[in-house]
């Protein structure tokens, strides 16, 4: 028996477990389907995370064939390990634009989730090596630092982009989001700082962390969540919760577990032979992800990052935690607008000193560089459904890529801009040949065909247990699964805290926002007063 049972040891789950266990009189259980990450070199070495793809540390999801993307399925890696996807992501620390969170509050009725309210939780989580300021926090669990290794590919991209009119920006979490520069990363002295490293390094006695424990369903008694069933060491077990059950299994796992437990679209649940407890059509709906399209060049004069990943490079990292293996691969980039009339950036660049092919699974051993053109203001929506009532079966994932033609137009504008950057010095001097889209692709029609054939995920699924208010305006925007207190509608004692509650995915990488959501949720769940909202002057100063 515990007070809180948390399902999912990813970014949100690690935060919740640590913060709720700060009360020594509270008993907390954290269930994680994957193993511990303590002794896995590929997790701790920043540049090695692609070696975790399609291993036991990866859920290894694949979407349904995407009708608007040449009927191709898209590979979705997700972390199946303590720390979740923060143990295998590119470690980019981005808050997103303040307009994202103000839209949650104003358009979706999510009272308390505007940027003024959420900003203090970003700062509380952060321990930024640049020091405390209006833009950054220090002393928090999550280490944020500048890269120890910066490839020449990124430097050339930044200089070329600025020659084409982009603004140099050394802090995308500072006074403006637009511009180009190197990213800050969630690392601590050349090692990855996952959510598990940040929040679970010291575990109090009242916190139990159980790995290799796969949740199979919720125990619901009298309209209240009373516990969780899970499979561990070949046995079916039950953990009971006196206070609350909290789902933090991510944008795929949380809606899947709700539907397996009878909470979801009634017709779909009946088709699967599942007894309907709560008819909640929004469970699994509103699925959003940031799609990306690669633009590649051959760079024979620049040494590839992969050339430093052998025995000598590994030995250097082991001894000094310095050198190319501290790279996060997507070292440089920035934000831009496909139309200057937009209120905020809708495009993001991820600049890689390697060739990104076959959804990141191909051997990168070629001297090349990639600019991933990423759409961060996504209009298309998809959905997630069960393939079976058996919890061992992966759900059916349909992100609905490019179902709204506006997304295709914005990506096409981004591809044209990235190619234009490639024609400016010094990038033009090191890029010997455009490998993709290639010299045969010129017209708008040809560019759009290339996008459909090449589109991949940026690993940012969100929205499948969306939060929403009770006002008529909020209800008109979308049906919601959880209220602004993150309580599941129709069941007592049950909350969802992860990227699935985002009514719309923020403009940028999603790890920092998930951690901030969980920081605020911990206060709501524990009954603590929320941190004081940022003052208006600070909000104006922060990202716009």
């Amino acid at each position: 028996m515990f007070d809180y049972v948390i399902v999912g040891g990813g970014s949100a789950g690690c935060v919740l477990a640590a913060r709720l266990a700060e009360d020594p009189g509270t008993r907390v259980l954290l269930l994680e389907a994957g193993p511990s990450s303590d002794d896995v070199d590929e997790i701790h070495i920043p540049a090695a995370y692609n070696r975790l793809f399609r291993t036991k540390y990866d859920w290894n999801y694949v979407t349904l064939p995407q009708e608007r993307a040449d009927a191709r399925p898209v590979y979705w890696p997700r972390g199946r390990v303590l720390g979740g996807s923060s143990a295998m992501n590119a470690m980019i620390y981005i808050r997103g634009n303040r307009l994202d969170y103000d839209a949650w509050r104003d358009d979706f009725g999510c009272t308390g989730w505007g940027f003024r309210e959420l900003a203090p939780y970003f700062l509380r989580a952060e321990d930024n090596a640049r020091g405390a300021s209006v833009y950054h926090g220090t002393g928090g669990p999550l280490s944020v630092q500048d890269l120890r290794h910066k490839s020449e590919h990124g430097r050339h991209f930044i200089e070329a982009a600025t020659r084409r009119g982009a603004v140099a920006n050394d802090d995308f979490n500072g006074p403006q989001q637009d511009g180009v520069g190197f990213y800050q990363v969630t690392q601590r002295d050349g090692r990855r700082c996952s959510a598990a490293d940040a929040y679970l390094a010291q575990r109090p006695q009242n916190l139990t962390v159980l790995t290799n424990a796969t949740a199979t369903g919720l125990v619901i008694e009298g309209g209240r969540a009373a516990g969780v069933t899970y499979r561990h060491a070949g046995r079916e077990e039950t953990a009971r919760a006196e206070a609350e059950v909290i789902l933090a299994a991510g944008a795929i796992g949380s809606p899947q577990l709700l539907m397996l437990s009878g909470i979801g679209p009634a017709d779909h649940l009946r088709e699967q032979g599942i007894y309907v407890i709560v008819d909640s059509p929004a469970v699994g709906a509103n699925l959003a992800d940031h799609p990306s399209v690669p633009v590649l060049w051959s760079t024979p004069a620049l040494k590839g990052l992969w050339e430093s990943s052998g025995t000598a490079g590994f030995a250097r990292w082991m001894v000094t935690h310095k050198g190319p293996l501290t790279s996060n691969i997507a070292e440089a980039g920035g934000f831009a607008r496909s139309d200057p009339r937009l209120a905020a950036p809708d495009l993001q660049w991820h600049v890689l000193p390697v060739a990104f092919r076959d959804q990141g699974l191909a051997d990168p051993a070629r001297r090349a560089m990639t600019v991933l053109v990423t759409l961060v203001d996504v209009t298309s929506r998809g959905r997630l459904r069960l393939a079976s009532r058996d919890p061992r079966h992966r759900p059916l994932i349909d992100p609905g890529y490019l179902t709204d033609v506006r997304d295709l137009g914005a990506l096409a504008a981004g591809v044209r801009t990235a190619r234009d950057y490639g024609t400016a010095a010094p990038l033009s001097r090191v890029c010997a040949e455009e490998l993709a889209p290639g010299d045969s692709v010129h017209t708008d029609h040809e560019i759009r065909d290339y996008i459909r054939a090449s589109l991949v995920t940026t690993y940012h699924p969100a929205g499948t247990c969306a939060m929403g208010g009770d006002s008529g305006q909020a209800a008109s925007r979308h049906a919601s699964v959880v209220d602004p207190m993150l309580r599941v509608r129709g069941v007592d004692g049950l909350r969802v805290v992860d990227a699935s509650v985002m009514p719309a995915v923020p403009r940028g990488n999603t790890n920092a926002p998930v951690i901030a959501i969980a920081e605020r949720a911990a206060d709501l769940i524990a009954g603590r007063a929320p941190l004081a909202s940022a003052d208006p002057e600070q909000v104006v100063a922060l990202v716009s």
Side-chain angles (χ1 to χ4, degrees):
M1 178 67 74
F2 298 87
D3 295 295
Y4 299 103
V5 176
I6 303 167
V7 178
S11 294
C14 290
V15 175
L16 291 167
R19 293 302 190 190
L20 293 175
E22 288 177 344
D23 178 355
T26 299
R27 300 157 298 169
V28 180
L29 172 64
L30 177 63
L31 296 173
E32 165 54 40
S36 170
S37 60
D38 293 341
D39 58 352
V40 185
D41 286 336
E42 291 84 356
I43 289 176
H44 304 301
I45 300 172
Y49 58 87
N50 69 313
R51 297 186 181 182
L52 298 165
F53 292 174
R54 293 188 167 167
T55 69
K56 68 177 183 178
Y57 305 104
D58 179 11
W59 282 101
N60 191 24
Y61 292 119
V62 178
T63 73
L64 294 174
Q66 293 300 284
E67 179 183 355
R68 305 297 176 89
D70 279 7
R72 294 179 300 111
V74 179
Y75 165 56
W76 275 20
R78 307 302 299 160
R80 188 176 182 271
V81 62
L82 195 62
S85 294
S86 75
M88 60 185 298
N89 67 356
M91 296 156 279
I92 298 172
Y93 183 81
I94 294 289
R95 279 197 289 263
N97 196 282
R98 66 180 175 87
L99 295 182
D100 299 325
Y101 309 105
D102 288 349
W104 292 4
R105 180 194 63 207
D106 300 336
D107 295 345
F108 298 99
C110 300
T111 304
W113 294 94
F115 191 71
R116 280 194 65 196
E117 294 83 9
L118 203 51
Y121 289 98
F122 281 107
L123 299 181
R124 181 169 84 175
E126 188 180 358
D127 185 21
N128 199 296
R130 296 185 182 182
S133 68
V134 67
Y135 307 120
H136 296 293
T138 56
L142 187 67
S143 177
V144 179
Q145 298 181 340
D146 295 318
L147 283 160
R148 288 190 165 194
H149 176 83
K150 297 178 180 179
S151 300
E152 288 301 308
H153 308 70
R155 300 183 195 278
H156 291 324
F157 170 84
I158 293 165
E159 186 173 345
T162 56
R163 290 193 177 193
R164 286 290 189 260
V167 177
N169 189 345
D170 68 350
D171 189 355
F172 300 111
N173 302 299
Q176 69 173 18
Q177 191 177 24
D178 298 75
V180 292
F182 283 99
Y183 291 118
Q184 281 201 298
V185 291
T186 50
Q187 292 184 15
R188 181 177 288 121
D189 300 329
R191 288 170 54 96
R192 173 188 296 274
C193 181
S194 72
D197 296 322
Y199 286 87
L200 298 183
Q202 304 295 327
R203 300 179 193 175
Q205 290 185 341
N206 59 324
L207 170 60
T208 301
V209 177
L210 190 60
T211 55
N212 297 302
T214 304
T216 56
L218 302 174
V219 178
I220 300 176
E221 299 173 349
R224 182 177 185 84
V228 177
T229 57
Y230 62 96
R231 187 173 291 111
H232 180 255
R235 297 175 56 186
E236 192 79 10
E237 306 281 358
T238 300
R240 298 188 67 85
E242 288 192 340
E244 294 189 20
V245 172
I246 307 164
L247 301 187
I252 301 171
S254 288
Q256 180 186 20
L257 195 59
L258 286 176
M259 287 188 282
L260 288 170
S261 305
I263 304 165
D267 290 345
H268 174 61
L269 298 186
R270 293 189 184 105
E271 289 173 357
Q272 300 296 331
I274 297 172
Y275 177 75
V276 179
I277 294 175
V278 177
D279 180 11
S280 183
V283 174
N286 193 50
L287 174 58
D289 180 38
H290 291 152
S292 284
V293 179
V295 177
L296 285 79
W297 294 272
S298 171
T299 56
L302 296 182
K303 188 175 182 180
L305 189 67
W306 53 271
E307 295 178 73
S308 304
S309 61
T311 303
F314 176 72
R316 181 183 179 189
W317 182 86
M318 289 292 290
V319 174
T320 68
H321 292 164
K322 295 180 180 179
L325 290 186
T326 63
S327 169
N328 71 322
I329 310 299
E331 299 170 357
F335 295 86
R337 309 183 192 209
S338 63
D339 185 326
R341 296 170 293 182
L342 293 174
D346 63 337
L347 296 170
Q348 183 177 4
W349 319 118
H350 294 92
V351 181
L352 289 59
V354 296
F356 184 93
R357 289 188 177 277
D358 188 23
Q359 305 181 73
L361 297 170
D363 186 352
R366 174 176 184 171
R367 288 191 175 185
M369 68 173 287
T370 306
V371 175
L372 284 174
V373 179
T374 304
L375 183 65
V376 291
D377 185 14
V378 184
T379 308
S380 299
R381 292 292 185 272
R383 72 176 190 177
L384 180 142
R385 290 291 183 263
L386 296 177
S388 164
R389 62 186 295 178
D390 187 334
R392 294 171 297 181
H393 291 177
R394 289 176 172 82
L396 305 176
I397 302 168
D398 180 9
Y401 288 132
L402 306 181
T403 50
D404 191 304
V405 69
R406 289 174 287 183
D407 291 352
L408 183 59
L411 280 168
V415 170
R416 287 191 291 270
T417 300
R419 296 176 93 180
D420 183 50
Y421 291 166
T423 65
L427 204 54
S428 59
R429 293 196 290 266
V430 298
C431 292
E433 176 189 5
E434 184 182 278
L435 302 175
D439 292 339
S440 63
V441 176
H442 296 289
T443 68
D444 188 63
H445 180 77
E446 290 167 343
I447 291 173
R448 290 176 181 236
D449 282 348
Y450 170 74
I451 291 170
R452 294 186 186 97
S454 308
L455 183 142
V456 295
T457 179
T458 318
Y459 323 117
H460 300 156
T464 47
C465 297
M467 170 173 48
D470 296 315
S471 68
Q473 178 189 15
S476 69
R477 293 301 301 264
H478 72 165
S480 59
V481 177
V482 300
D483 66 15
M485 296 290 286
L486 306 182
R487 299 172 297 201
V488 175
R489 297 183 184 277
V491 181
D492 293 332
L494 179 62
R495 301 198 206 214
V496 180
V497 182
D498 54 35
S500 71
V501 305
M502 297 174 172
V505 62
R507 292 171 173 87
N509 310 78
T510 50
N511 187 243
V514 167
I515 288 173
I517 288 170
E519 284 274 10
R520 187 172 191 274
D523 282 351
L524 296 177
I525 294 166
R528 297 188 287 256
L531 296 179
S533 299
D535 63 63
E537 290 186 7
Q538 182 184 26
V539 171
V540 171
L542 287 168
V543 188
S544 60

